[in-house]
Amino acid sequence: MLDEVEGWLRRRSWSAADRPLRTLCAAKEAAGAAGTISVVLPALDEESTVGGIVSVIRRELMERVPLVDELVVLDSGSGDRTAEVAAAAGARVVHRDAILPRVPSVPGKGEVLWRSLLVTSGEIVCFVDADLREFSADFVSGIVGPLLTDPDLQLVKAMYDRPLETEGAVVPAGGGRVTELVARPLLNLHWPQLAGFVQPLGGEYAARRSLLERLHFPTGYGVELGLLVDALGEAGLDALAQVDVGVRHHRHQDGQALGRMAATIYRTALERLVRTGRLKGEDDLVRPLLTQFSRTAAERPGQGGGFAPHTHAVPALERPPMTSVPEYRARRAA
Ligand SMILES: O=c1ccn([C@@H]2O[C@H](COP(=O)(O)OP(=O)(O)O)[C@@H](O)[C@H]2O)c(=O)[nH]1
Ligand SMILES: O=C(O)[C@@H](COP(=O)(O)O)O[C@H]1O[C@H](CO)[C@@H](O)[C@H](O)[C@H]1O
């Protein structure tokens, strides 16, 4: 690990307990407008978990203490009762298609995170996944805390244990599969300054709007890696930090879904290597497609055996910095 990163780990890694809520409320009051906080939950078919998360944030961080100013669930095109459940629990729910309709929305987590900047007003924006179970308010207060007390910080990521919990089986620290197999190796090899992040892909992070609005947003699952790499470039390592908030329990996707996620994350990294001149142009990427396989119903001797190929596009669409969007500038000027 680079000496710089070892020093960063000592200076910029904390525990949620290091900043008690009373300290944060005092810092928020002293910060004035700079201490306003918007929490955003990107949600695609999360009816079973979104309500519990919203309820905890409202009760603990809006009613018991006035830490969070607005709580928005960004509906990413859900087909279930996500919107109803989130609204009933006390969130403002906005559908992705209702935001900036002149730019038709595309599927993807990053797409809704980008659009959320247009419908929120906090100077600190905190993203929280909507599939978390056993959610604690520390996931929010822990990561917004340093942004309230340390003006030099720009982005703070949560770090946590990530057990892999599937039907009946729990593998301690088995979660974060794409992190361990793809993102951490990529970051260590190409952006070693970021090697100190324990959970670089974690979906819980908070940042100053003044940073987020200057960054490109990959529209899919590349958003975490893209924002972290670009935040390093924009703000420098010492403007970044991480906070231990305990254990993260969430719904786990299957291996092939994570394979598609990994391909998108790799492509997002490749794009940044090209953008910074460390790799030649797109000719380094032969085909933005990923073929996976499933067992066919019946073995078909002489016709490729018993497996069927399924080919998926590997998207790399990125949204421009919000500061380049006229509607965003007009809203901020109003
Ligand atoms: O197109 C998408 C994909 C995901 N998500 C949300 O983004 C968060 C993280 O997604 P997911 O749980 O699928 O990722 P994982 O944690 O499995 O890597 C969850 O709140 C999803 O509902 C979303 O809003 N739109
Ligand atoms: O970290 C990971 O490897 C993946 C998959 O986690 P699991 O192996 O299902 O625990 O989960 C994260 O990755 C996504 C892409 O960055 C984020 O959007 C998710 O919030 C995060 O859970």
Side-chain angles (χ1 to χ4, degrees):
M1 189 180 291
L2 295 172
D3 291 346
E4 178 188 5
V5 176
E6 291 194 5
W8 177 83
L9 273 173
R10 288 191 297 274
R11 290 191 314 276
R12 291 289 193 251
S13 290
W14 296 290
S15 163
D18 291 334
R19 292 176 176 82
L21 270 180
R22 64 180 178 283
T23 305
L24 301 189
C25 290
K28 177 187 173 73
E29 190 170 348
T36 51
I37 297 170
S38 301
V39 176
V40 172
L41 277 64
L44 176 62
D45 298 331
E46 302 295 6
E47 64 179 7
S48 62
T49 46
V50 70
I53 300 165
V54 167
S55 300
V56 167
I57 296 171
R58 273 207 73 82
R59 183 180 67 246
E60 302 293 328
L61 302 178
M62 299 179 85
E63 293 162 7
R64 183 168 296 173
V65 295
L67 189 70
V68 170
D69 298 286
E70 68 179 339
L71 174 53
V72 178
V73 168
L74 234 296
D75 188 340
S76 187
S78 298
D80 66 1
R81 300 185 63 255
T82 293
E84 296 88 336
V85 169
R92 174 159 60 95
V93 181
V94 185
H95 194 283
R96 68 180 183 196
D97 295 341
I99 307 170
L100 199 63
R102 74 173 173 83
V103 180
S105 56
V106 300
K109 179 187 182 183
E111 174 77 336
V112 292
L113 296 185
W114 180 72
R115 288 175 188 264
S116 77
L117 296 181
L118 255 169
V119 293
T120 54
S121 53
E123 293 305 320
I124 294 172
V125 182
C126 177
F127 296 132
V128 175
D129 281 3
D131 68 331
L132 303 182
R133 290 181 288 100
E134 300 175 49
F135 176 80
S136 157
D138 283 356
F139 274 52
V140 172
S141 56
I143 57 179
V144 303
L147 295 170
L148 289 171
T149 59
D150 294 56
D152 298 338
L153 289 177
Q154 297 287 322
L155 181 146
V156 181
K157 292 215 59 141
M159 57 179 159
Y160 25 56
D161 293 312
R162 297 185 67 174
L164 179 61
E165 299 155 320
T166 53
E167 285 70 37
V170 176
V171 178
R177 290 161 291 172
V178 179
T179 296
E180 301 307 335
L181 294 172
V182 177
R184 198 180 308 283
L186 274 174
L187 292 174
N188 275 262
L189 270 58
H190 294 297
W191 295 278
Q193 285 180 291
L194 297 175
F197 277 93
V198 175
Q199 295 297 350
L201 296 190
E204 291 66 48
Y205 46 106
R208 295 194 196 286
R209 176 181 295 271
S210 55
L211 172 66
L212 291 172
E213 66 186 14
R214 291 184 278 128
L215 301 182
H216 288 81
F217 276 62
T219 53
Y221 281 120
V223 63
E224 274 79 30
L225 182 121
L227 289 179
L228 190 57
V229 166
D230 294 353
L232 175 68
E234 275 291 317
L237 181 61
D238 244 32
L240 314 181
Q242 59 185 355
V243 175
D244 184 349
V245 297
V247 185
R248 185 187 197 232
H249 305 276
H250 75 116
R251 183 206 54 241
H252 300 284
Q253 302 185 64
D254 65 55
Q256 292 205 344
L258 295 190
R260 297 189 288 276
M261 175 189 290
T264 294
I265 288 169
Y266 175 70
R267 194 169 178 199
T268 300
L270 208 55
E271 163 59 29
R272 277 150 183 76
L273 292 172
V274 170
R275 198 184 286 174
T276 53
R278 287 193 266 174
L279 271 184
K280 297 190 307 298
E282 274 294 304
D283 60 6
D284 288 281
L285 179 74
V286 178
R287 299 176 77 232
L289 300 173
L290 173 68
T291 297
Q292 298 173 317
F293 294 89
S294 64
R295 168 67 76 177
T296 50
E299 202 162 313
R300 300 173 296 161
Q303 293 184 34
F307 287 90
H310 308 275
T311 297
H312 305 270
V314 181
L317 176 66
E318 301 212 3
R319 294 302 188 191
M322 262 298 171
T323 48
S324 68
V325 176
E327 292 87 341
Y328 181 80
R329 292 200 301 271
R331 174 182 160 89
R332 295 292 290 167

